[in-house]
Amino acid sequence: GESVGLHLPTLSVQEGDNSIINCAYSNSASDYFIWYKQESGKGPQFIIDIRSNMDKRQGQRVTVLLNKTVKHLSLQIAATQPGDSAVYFCAENMLGYSTLTFGKGTMLLVSP
Amino acid sequence: DAGITQSPRHKVTETGTPVTLRCHQTENHRYMYWYRQDPGHGLRLIHYSYGVKDTDKGEVSDGYSVSRSKTEDFLLTLESATSSQTSVYFCAITAGREANTEAFFGQGTRLTVV
């Protein structure tokens, strides 16, 4: 069957570069956001999350930025490695609601 | 890794046949979800459960039913499979006591309806 990566916007970077993946979310009432990474043939894997009372959160080599004014979320990956090649999804949730809404994803390709 | 097991991992079935996919968790989490993933659509919620025998529909629930008779198992049934249900199906659970926390995913089931 078709790969989930088809039809997705693609970001191509060189190993060692910093990568920035963007996501526009839909619901101004959303107050919890997550970034997932999905490698080929695997399930999505949690990377980092952020709540709406923050505008920045850092993890290991990753930073998530939240701009509630324009409903925009970004994931920054420092010193990108070939192992970072995957599809990246953002997801949003509203407090009190039981389900996440996912964006369609961005494929990140890292060249050695 | 969260203890989520999906079975089967791959299945080919004929149009009109019933199919059941199983999700098993060892984390004792309250919330469980079934998603389908298709090119160009991302992850779309089919059904979810917020407790034993408590389920609700997602955005693409037509043609699917679910059951949760035990905390650890969440079953997705296609009563009469159609070619449009060819997809990759993912089960997810939420780690916290509330649903407003990150979801952990299984490895997926690739279903082909011929």
Side-chain angles (χ1 to χ4, degrees), chain B residues 38-100:
Chain B
D38 305 287
H41 292 280
L43 285 157
R44 293 182 292 174
L45 182 65
I46 304 171
H47 283 280
Y48 69 100
S49 170
Y50 47 96
V52 173
K53 297 185 180 179
D54 292 324
T55 65
D56 206 348
K57 296 179 180 180
E59 64 176 300
V60 290
S61 60
D62 287 348
Y64 302 94
S65 62
V66 290
S67 66
R68 191 162 178 207
S69 59
K70 299 184 288 185
T71 298
E72 58 265 37
D73 289 327
F74 192 33
L75 304 180
L76 177 70
T77 297
L78 291 65
E79 301 291 347
S80 178
T82 66
S83 58
S84 65
Q85 294 176 311
T86 292
S87 187
V88 181
Y89 291 85
F90 287 100
C91 174
I93 64 175
T94 53
R97 296 176 64 185
E98 300 296 329
N100 191 231

Side-chain angles (χ1 to χ4, degrees), chain A residues 1-4 6-7 31-32 34 36 38 41-44 46 49 51 89 93 95 97-100 102 104, chain B residues 1 9 31 33 35 37-43 45 48 50 90 94 99-108 110:
Chain A
E2 291 185 82
S3 165
V4 68
L6 292 178
H7 314 298
D31 57 1
Y32 178 61
I34 309 174
Y36 285 92
Q38 187 177 23
K42 297 184 178 181
F46 171 85
D49 59 1
R51 298 193 184 273
F89 296 93
N93 178 246
L95 185 63
Y97 284 74
S98 305
T99 62
L100 292 167
F102 287 84
K104 290 183 171 52
Chain B
D1 289 344
R9 292 294 313 279
Y31 289 88
Y33 307 81
Y35 291 88
Q37 186 174 46
D38 305 287
H41 292 280
L43 285 157
L45 182 65
Y48 69 100
Y50 47 96
F90 287 100
T94 53
N100 191 231
T101 58
E102 69 269 26
F104 293 96
F105 285 81
Q107 291 297 299
R110 182 172 292 276

Side-chain angles (χ1 to χ4, degrees), chain A residues 2-86:
Chain A
E2 291 185 82
S3 165
V4 68
L6 292 178
H7 314 298
L8 292 178
T10 300
L11 174 65
S12 297
V13 301
Q14 294 286 327
E15 181 177 3
D17 287 351
N18 295 331
S19 302
I20 300 176
I21 300 171
N22 297 304
C23 176
Y25 63 92
S26 56
N27 189 343
S28 58
S30 292
D31 57 1
Y32 178 61
F33 306 89
I34 309 174
W35 279 101
Y36 285 92
K37 171 186 180 183
Q38 187 177 23
E39 297 173 285
S40 181
K42 297 184 178 181
Q45 179 182 12
F46 171 85
I47 302 173
I48 191 168
D49 59 1
I50 188 168
R51 298 193 184 273
S52 59
N53 59 352
M54 304 172 68
D55 53 20
K56 180 179 180 179
R57 191 170 186 214
Q58 290 184 291
Q60 186 177 12
R61 278 202 309 119
V62 295
T63 300
V64 55
L65 299 178
L66 174 62
N67 185 331
K68 295 181 288 293
T69 302
V70 295
K71 294 190 289 184
H72 184 267
L73 196 65
S74 69
L75 177 70
Q76 300 178 359
I77 305 174
T80 313
Q81 303 167 0
D84 294 327
S85 293

